[in-house]
Amino acid sequence: MAFRPPRQHASPMRIPANNLTDITTHLADKGWAIAADVLDATQVNALRQVVIDRCAPCPAAGTRLDCAVIQHAPAMLDLLRNPRFMTVMRACVGENEVVVHRSAALLRMAGSPQVGWHSDFDFAPTPPKAHDEYLNRGEWPNGAWFY
């Protein structure tokens, strides 16, 4: 399966990993942030392989998702030992709210339908039915999804 290398151009969305103030401000203002250059090429390639291993085969113009990837991929667990990654995560979600039950691998092939704007947090008034619905509700640390 061939993938294009990531674009290397500067973008206002890509905030240097050492600029924690801008990362957390953007996260608070927009609900998301991209911290640039947190991982080196070896780490990125290892994580790319995890996505392929967990989500392939993927139909042409299709999408596959694995919502339990960290439990099955040592390269994902290695993120928790990466000081730069953990510094950014702690700045974003706090010292005590980094959790490992929030991981997903998403493989989207060229031509797959776009996903509309949405929240990964469930604010529905109905009782929760699935594990993600339970984890996304309540007054306990919800942490953040690792994509």
Side-chain angles (χ1 to χ4, degrees), residues 101-102 120-142:
H101 66 265
R102 304 278 189 196
D120 287 332
F121 295 98
D122 186 0
F123 300 107
T126 59
K129 297 177 196 78
H131 70 281
D132 283 342
E133 292 176 4
Y134 282 98
L135 294 172
N136 284 341
R137 299 178 188 189
E139 296 300 319
W140 49 81
N142 281 318

Side-chain angles (χ1 to χ4, degrees), residues 12-28:
M13 296 185 307
R14 292 173 46 94
I15 303 167
N18 62 353
N19 192 339
L20 298 176
T21 300
D22 283 358
I23 291 169
T24 56
T25 299
H26 195 275
L27 181 61

Side-chain angles (χ1 to χ4, degrees), residues 58-74:
C58 185
T63 301
R64 293 235 9 230
L65 176 68
D66 178 355
C67 285
V69 69
I70 200 165
Q71 293 89 330
H72 307 285

Side-chain angles (χ1 to χ4, degrees), residues 62-137:
T63 301
R64 293 235 9 230
L65 176 68
D66 178 355
C67 285
V69 69
I70 200 165
Q71 293 89 330
H72 307 285
M76 288 287 292
L77 289 172
D78 286 345
L79 290 173
L80 303 176
R81 291 186 278 271
N82 180 318
R84 193 170 205 172
F85 177 83
M86 292 306 298
T87 296
V88 171
M89 287 305 300
R90 285 185 177 113
C92 292
V93 299
E95 289 287 325
N96 298 318
E97 296 189 23
V98 176
V99 293
V100 296
H101 66 265
R102 304 278 189 196
S103 65
L106 177 64
L107 181 59
R108 177 168 285 144
M109 302 303 286
S112 65
Q114 291 184 336
V115 176
W117 183 253
H118 69 283
S119 173
D120 287 332
F121 295 98
D122 186 0
F123 300 107
T126 59
K129 297 177 196 78
H131 70 281
D132 283 342
E133 292 176 4
Y134 282 98
L135 294 172
N136 284 341
R137 299 178 188 189

Side-chain angles (χ1 to χ4, degrees), residues 43-61:
Q43 293 165 318
V44 170
N45 289 331
L47 293 169
R48 181 178 289 132
Q49 190 61 51
V50 166
V51 172
I52 293 167
D53 293 346
R54 299 295 302 167
C55 296
C58 185

